[in-house]
Amino acid sequence: MPAAPEGGFPACPDRLGLYPVLPSADWVERVLGLGVRTTQLRRKTADAADLQREISRSVEAGRRHDAQVFINDHWREAIAAGAYGVHLGQEDVQTADLSAIAKAGVRLGLSTHGYYEMLRALHFKPSYLALGAVFPTTTKVMPTKPQGLARLSRYVQLLSGRVPLVAIGGIDAKAMPGVLETGVRSAAVVRAVTEAPDTAAAVLSLQKMFAGQR
């Protein structure tokens, strides 16, 4: 494996809370305006100019709202824009310049799918680990079967206090209470926000679930 950057990556809060993963800067601005404090831009485009604009707008929205905005995959552009953090997959650590990300003071979130990948990710001393997919999801092709709540609970027992944890994958408002009962302090959502008939009402309802955590 590539060597971990000396000193690891900057820390992020243990309680990242509701973590919407969003397709555009418009969505990032809208959701941060509703009081969300952690979000991720997952922009799917091959247009370099579009990508730069979307990342710059999202990062600026994060600054305005004093929020944590992570950029999915595009670590070079995230560094250039002064992003709070980047989120990478397991395969990305083989090609990304992890030292450059760390030296820029950018936080690193890593995706994991089971025990082996969690141990592998811990080697790099990331700012948080994403644990998934908890449930079946249609937003991307997953390399493993859904982990389920029983496994998520075991992951939390093993890693809580060592690194911030984010549950991800197929989580909606109906599933959220069970996810939070595992003790995880952050959960990523996609369609629960982007496909909600009333975005503001959906965000408020989800935020209230986190407010009830011990």
Side-chain angles (χ1 to χ4, degrees):
M1 290 189 295
E6 188 174 348
F9 293 86
C12 62
D14 187 51
R15 291 177 180 264
L16 287 169
L18 179 65
Y19 187 169
V21 178
L22 304 167
S24 69
D26 283 340
W27 269 107
V28 170
E29 291 167 347
R30 185 187 316 176
V31 169
L32 294 186
L34 294 171
V36 172
R37 287 296 169 262
T38 305
T39 189
Q40 180 187 136
L41 175 69
R42 184 192 284 167
R43 185 69 173 175
K44 298 180 180 180
T45 179
D47 185 330
D50 171 83
L51 186 63
Q52 185 177 14
R53 284 193 303 269
E54 290 290 304
I55 290 175
S56 295
R57 280 180 57 193
S58 298
V59 169
E60 178 55 34
R63 293 195 184 110
R64 285 199 310 273
H65 293 281
D66 191 26
Q68 292 112 207
V69 176
F70 290 85
I71 306 301
N72 184 270
D73 286 348
H74 301 287
W75 57 271
R76 294 181 184 86
E77 293 82 359
I79 290 174
Y84 178 85
V86 297
H87 180 95
L88 299 179
Q90 287 277 316
E91 65 285 354
D92 299 315
V93 296
Q94 299 296 137
T95 56
D97 189 339
L98 300 182
S99 292
I101 296 170
K103 286 177 182 176
V106 176
R107 284 102 184 139
L108 175 67
L110 285 179
S111 293
T112 67
H113 312 88
Y115 294 107
Y116 169 76
E117 291 190 359
M118 285 190 298
L119 291 171
R120 189 172 185 272
L122 287 173
H123 163 77
F124 297 105
K125 303 175 184 176
S127 306
Y128 76 76
L129 289 187
L131 310 173
V134 181
F135 304 110
T137 177
T138 60
T139 60
K140 62 186 296 187
V141 177
M142 301 306 300
T144 58
K145 293 180 180 179
Q147 303 291 301
L149 290 178
R151 274 197 174 220
L152 176 62
S153 182
R154 290 197 290 272
Y155 298 160
V156 172
Q157 290 173 35
L158 283 169
L159 298 174
S160 184
R162 179 166 183 174
V163 61
L165 303 172
V166 179
I168 190 168
I171 301 171
D172 57 18
K174 184 177 180 180
M176 186 67 79
V179 170
L180 297 183
E181 283 177 7
T182 68
V184 74
R185 294 179 174 182
S186 180
V189 297
V190 182
R191 291 176 298 156
V193 169
T194 61
E195 294 184 10
D198 185 332
T199 304
V203 167
L204 179 61
S205 176
L206 290 164
Q207 291 279 56
K208 284 181 177 178
M209 296 180 195
F210 283 91
Q213 274 192 310
R214 292 194 297 273

